[in-house]
Amino acid sequence: MTPRRRRRAAQAVVAVVVAALAVGLVLLFGPRALVLSGYTGEPGTVAVSECGPRVCQGEFTPDDALEPATRVTVGDVYGIAPGQRITVYRDGATVNQRAGWRLVLMLSALLIGVAALGVIAVSLWVRAVRREPWGTWEVLGRGFTTALGVGIPLLVLALVLYLLR
């Protein structure tokens, strides 16, 4: 195999690895973003009994039960005081309130990474097909500018949703 063919093969392999990394990010962090923003999990209410500076504790009652099932920790304490009953979604011992701004923020961070990795992978693949040299800084620059172009509007949207809550 000639050095030129080896270089093209290496570019193609790196492009596939970068694309697989982007898919892995979605598979790992997409479902977690839904859980942390309260869009999946067991629905119910928490009777808040005590609050600290970072977490609140209380008894979780599933929607289909009459009595509390377990003691849980509420991760987001904004606007919560002892004695309140709040609607939450449980995942394990942690419960989360539904928050659209949090979901937009988490998914936009995920989308920024996936878009940047996708552009890098496609750029490397196109360079390999066209038999061009790596052009590492150009490829990374394209990925970075794509991340900015996708990321800034999404982050502004998350900020607006946060302020409107």
Side-chain angles (χ1 to χ4, degrees):
M1 185 182 272
T2 66
R4 184 174 287 206
R5 282 186 183 228
R6 265 187 259 140
R7 185 178 64 233
R8 280 199 321 257
Q11 282 176 304
V13 167
V14 169
V16 169
V17 168
V18 171
L21 186 63
V23 170
L25 278 175
V26 171
L27 294 176
L28 285 174
F29 297 111
R32 192 70 188 146
L34 291 171
V35 167
L36 291 175
S37 57
Y39 281 88
T40 59
E42 181 182 13
T45 57
V46 170
V48 179
S49 58
E50 59 183 290
C51 283
R54 293 182 180 231
V55 296
C56 291
Q57 302 270 329
E59 296 293 323
F60 176 76
T61 305
D63 278 352
D64 57 355
L66 298 175
E67 295 194 21
T70 185
R71 188 158 179 81
V72 293
T73 301
V74 181
D76 185 13
V77 298
Y78 177 77
I80 299 175
Q84 274 186 298
R85 292 188 69 80
I86 56 173
T87 302
V88 294
Y89 297 85
R90 180 176 77 152
D91 180 49
T94 304
V95 296
N96 298 292
Q97 291 179 292
R98 188 163 282 177
W101 68 270
R102 189 178 299 137
L103 180 65
V104 169
L105 186 65
M106 291 177 164
L107 291 181
S108 63
L110 180 62
L111 181 63
I112 291 166
V114 169
L117 289 173
V119 167
I120 290 169
V122 169
S123 296
L124 283 172
W125 188 265
V126 167
R127 286 184 162 278
V129 169
R130 290 183 182 168
R131 300 178 181 180
E132 295 175 354
W134 285 81
T136 306
W137 291 111
E138 181 181 338
V139 168
L140 292 176
R142 285 182 184 164
F144 181 73
T145 54
T146 300
L148 286 177
V150 170
I152 290 174
L154 289 174
L155 293 176
V156 168
L157 175 63
L159 179 64
V160 167
L161 289 173
Y162 175 75
L163 294 174
L164 292 177
R165 65 180 174 151

